[in-house]
Structures are given as structure tokens and as C-alpha cells.
Amino acid sequence: MLLRRIKCLRYLGTRFNSSHYVTTPIFYVNAAPHIGHLYSAVIADAHCRYQRLRYPEQHVRLCTGTDEHGTKIQQAASLHGIPVAKYCDDISQRYREVFRSAGIQPEDFIRTTEDRHKRAVASFWRRLHTRGHIYSAAYSGWYCVSDETFLTDSQLRLDEASGTRYSLESGHPVEWTEETNYMFRLSQFQDDVRHWVKQEARIRPAKFEKILLDTLSEPLPDVSVSRPSNRVHWAIPVPDDDSQTVYVWLDALVNYLSSVGYPDEEFSAHWPPAQQVIGKDILKFHGIYWPAFLLAADLEPPRQLYVHSHWTVDGQKMSKSKHNVVDPVQAARQYTMEGLRYFLLREGVAHSDGNYSHVKAQRILNSELADTLGNLLSRASAKSLNPGQIYPSASAEHLADLLRSLDAAKRLQDSLLQLSERCASHYECNHFHLVADTAMATLHAANNFFESSKPWTLKAGAPDGNQARLETIIAMTMDALRLSGIVLQPIIPQLANRLLDKLSVPTAQRGWHYLAESFATTPTSSTGLGESRQLDGQTSALLFQRILEETAVGGEKEQKPQPAKRSKSKKKERRETMS
């Protein structure tokens, strides 16, 4: 098989290629970005941030961008009454702005209307053509304009009343189309694609591997890779044949090559992608067509596809017709963009659709970011307990006594000792909700320790005042905050950085290996930062403002403040994750 012939190349690439190349889908500009688009981007960004944090010697490259060709773009621009190019510029810029405000840090933002991409598509087409994998033929079939794809009879449902056929997967109508197109010999690569899919951890979660294998159990027909120019003119022309334009999905998929410099030799320094993050609705294109195109071009397919599910809104499918599409910019006005980012990664699980609701978002963000995390920092740095505004070092004597005599101290130590290994295991699988679970469990243990140790009874002027013991309790609490801040950097980078700034943790001491430095690992010496140091007076101890209730007053909406709550130790409800 062709795929087996490149195994040696993969081995050499793994050994000598230090690049970790990650992609999001490029987002179709027929409409403004919604939370589903943002979810794809924050998954990829959090994955890349973890890779940089854990493997600083590795070059991590993230690519995102916009897909700007096809019939739907022509129609959307016409609907808005503006030139197509101007329409694409406007929507693409909105994606850039949303991603920037959400802390997404791509090394490249690519647009399929760029000259570098058009050059890559032309080169890739010629490579497929000269290798004999593209041929011209009359083609007829059911075409779905909304999905930009031809569908077989088995992929359709017929509305008996109207006689209209619809896509089973998307629900969009289709139309019968007859035209002369260029075809790709997909059928010749069925065995190779099946072999690629079956490789360990190639498709994750595993349920999507099964979906692909079910599709591959039936013979694959050859697929159209072009459309007549007189039908789809807003597209890249087929090289040497202006009567045809490149099929939008082939055009779009090549962006992953364009971004790293294809066809110039420089692209091989980053190829193949370590992980490609996609939504489940485009699994067929990335899990069957894309590896087949690459194998036909004698290029290695991606090492992993990470497929995520969709978001419903209050239990309903998100759609324009239901007027329930969630605009991330609008949502961020209520939750902050960092809060929205946390909610998506905290609540979303790849194998099942997530449910977006205001009640759930408010509960999670208030309980976890405002109370469990933010309130603990506020209490540990309160001037009534910590008048010197320091991150103190621990007294070896009092540290040993607390660990010996107070169960809550021992539980906190155990939680911190397990934090690095558990979070690393979850991050490696993109199980961000379990990272948040683990970090919050540690912070609950820290809150419980703080309450149980009763530091307010030890401050100066109290009957049992003991400054050394008080500072040890604060030091242990701040160690828990510091380590939690380090592990949460990929998920809530801005909030975690503010936490670490407040604790005066130097940038050079925010790497993953510093999780091994705390009172938990060195219980007979000072805490991980060594000597006491001043807290950063320029950074507020208020990390996350509690989200306010909205109550109707005289037809207007009024913000009703909620009281801050102290976080209490409690058993967290855990969700099982399918690998």
C-alpha cells in the first residue's frame, strides 16, 4: 500500500522534526462567527498552549483562517448588496477580532483568497493531475449548495408532500445537477485510507473512527473536484482550463499546506500536522477525502484528527431559523471573553454535543472562577490577614506540624502531589474539562485547608496570635493558587497570568516543571518560591467579577448584584469521558 511506503518517512520526521503543527478548520465566511467556531479555535489554542508549556523546546505552530470561495459566498454577498471581495474582507476580519479577544494565538491566519494559497492549490492540482489521479467526465448527481457537496441517494430523504430531497445529515435541500467536471479517483485509495484510519489514536474520540470505518466499509465512488466556471465563478480556476473552477472543498483543504509554505521545500519542516481540530460535520472531508488527496500527492496524512461535537442552546439545535445562534462578542459582554472561553472548555466534551445556557454558564463561572479561585486569592491576600502584602515562605516547624495534625493540610498536599501527572494526562487527550475538574478539586482542598486552619485566629492582636504559623498557612494557600494558575494557563491564559502576576511569580517560573516546587514536595523547607516576596500591588486581587442576575424592573433590565460566596469543600460531580 502507498501508505505503508511512507512509514519510514514518518519515522524520520518524528525523530528530526521538532515542529508540532496544529490546525483549526478554516471558517466559512457565509456568516459571522458563533460559539461553535470559537470552540474549535479555543480547543486548538489550549492544546498548543499546553504543548508550549510542557515541551518548551518544541516549535508549536497553530494555523487558523477563513474559507472564502464558493456559491454560498456569492449568495451571501449578493444578499448584503456588497461586492464579494469586500464581503469576505469584512467577515474574515470579524473572525480575527473574535479570536484576538479570546486570546487565540495563531502563528498564521490564512485566507483562501490570498495569492500564496492560490499558488499552492494550483501546484497541488497539477501534482494530482500529472500523477494520473484526476480525469474529466460527465457527472450528474444531487448537489447541496449549503453544504457544497454532492450526495448519494442513501444520504438523502424525500419529502413526499413537496417532492424535495434533503440531506439526511444537515437537513439542507439538494438539487439535481448535470455537468462535465474533473473527477478524482477516490476509489483507488479506499484501502489506504482505511489503513490510515485504523492506526492507533489516528481519529479521536474513538466513536468518530467507527463512523469513518462504517463509511469505508462500502465502495467509495470517485468524486468531483471541479465545477463549471459559469456556475461557480467565485473560486480558484483549474490550472490550464478556465472553463472549470476548483471544487471548494479541495481548495479549502489545501490551506493546511499553504500555511506552511507549500509548494516550496520549507513546508516539509512542519509537515505532517500533529493534530487537526475539526467539527463532526466535516469529518468525511477530513477523514476520507483529505488523506486520499494527500496520499495521491505522495504526502503524509495528518497524525491525528481531533473531532469535536456541536453546541445546542437550551437543548435546541443552534440555527438561524430559530434565532438562537450565540454571538461570542455579545456573550462576552456578559461573561467576559475569558469566562466564555473557560465555559466552552469546561463544559464541552468532544464525543457529545454540549449545551449552552445562561443559567449553566452563570453557575459555573460564579462558582469556580469567582468563588473557588478568585475568592481564595482575595482572602489570602487580604490586608487584615496579610498586612505586609507578601507571598511568605513557610516555617519548617509549623509546616511539619500542620501536615501532621491537620487532615485538611494532608489532603491539600496529596492533591498538589497529583496535580501535574493528572493534568498532563488530561491535556494530552484534549480533555480540558477534566483538567478544570482536577484544578478545581485542588482549589476546593485549598479552600477547605484555609477554613480548617483558621488563620484569622493567628493574626497580630488575637489571643492566639502566631505570625510564623499564619504566614505558613498563607504560604501553603498561595502555593496551591500558584500551581493551579500554572496548570490553568492553557485554558484561561489571561486570568491565570493575572493570578501569577499578583503572586509575583516570575515569567521564567511559570513552566510545567515548576509544579514540582511547593510545600507538598519539600515539606521540611520553604515553599517553592524560596524567600518571601512582595505581592504585585499593581494587580488586583479581584480575578473574576461575579456575574450579576438580570431582573426586569419597569420593562427595563437591571443588574442585581450577587453576594460573594466562600467556596466550601465538596464532592465534585464527575463526568465520564469516552476516549
Side-chain angles (χ1 to χ4, degrees), residues 82 85-95 97 111:
I82 58 176
K86 175 68 165 57
Y87 174 81
C88 291
D89 288 344
D90 291 347
I91 300 296
S92 183
Q93 183 60 30
R94 289 177 70 174
Y95 274 96
E97 290 169 357
R111 300 177 59 186

Side-chain angles (χ1 to χ4, degrees), residues 73-209:
I73 307 304
Q74 297 172 199
Q75 295 173 343
S78 176
L79 184 65
H80 286 81
I82 58 176
V84 184
K86 175 68 165 57
Y87 174 81
C88 291
D89 288 344
D90 291 347
I91 300 296
S92 183
Q93 183 60 30
R94 289 177 70 174
Y95 274 96
R96 284 182 185 269
E97 290 169 357
V98 167
F99 292 169
R100 186 181 303 115
S101 66
I104 312 298
Q105 292 184 327
E107 190 162 328
D108 188 24
F109 187 101
I110 193 163
R111 300 177 59 186
T112 57
T113 48
E114 293 180 63
D115 287 341
R116 59 171 172 153
H117 175 69
K118 294 175 182 178
R119 174 172 170 259
V121 170
S123 179
F124 192 77
W125 178 281
R126 289 190 174 99
R127 187 171 178 87
L128 295 180
H129 192 268
T130 57
R131 292 171 68 86
H133 301 306
I134 291 178
Y135 63 96
S136 180
Y139 187 80
S140 61
W142 296 104
Y143 188 75
C144 181
V145 174
S146 296
D147 300 336
E148 302 275 14
T149 186
F150 284 95
L151 298 171
T152 63
D153 287 337
S154 64
Q155 296 172 306
L156 303 174
R157 69 171 180 84
L158 174 64
D159 183 350
E160 298 287 353
S162 65
T164 304
R165 286 174 169 79
Y166 297 88
S167 165
L168 280 173
E169 182 176 352
S170 69
H172 296 137
V174 299
E175 58 188 33
W176 184 257
T177 302
E178 297 181 2
E179 54 195 33
T180 298
N181 293 338
Y182 286 100
M183 307 293 292
F184 173 73
R185 301 184 193 276
L186 180 63
S187 54
Q188 292 186 357
F189 295 92
Q190 182 157 352
D191 289 342
D192 283 311
V193 171
R194 185 187 295 111
H195 178 76
W196 173 77
V197 169
K198 286 182 175 180
Q199 300 307 297
E200 183 179 1
R202 184 73 71 207
I203 314 294
R204 284 293 178 265
K207 66 177 285 186
F208 296 110
E209 175 186 326

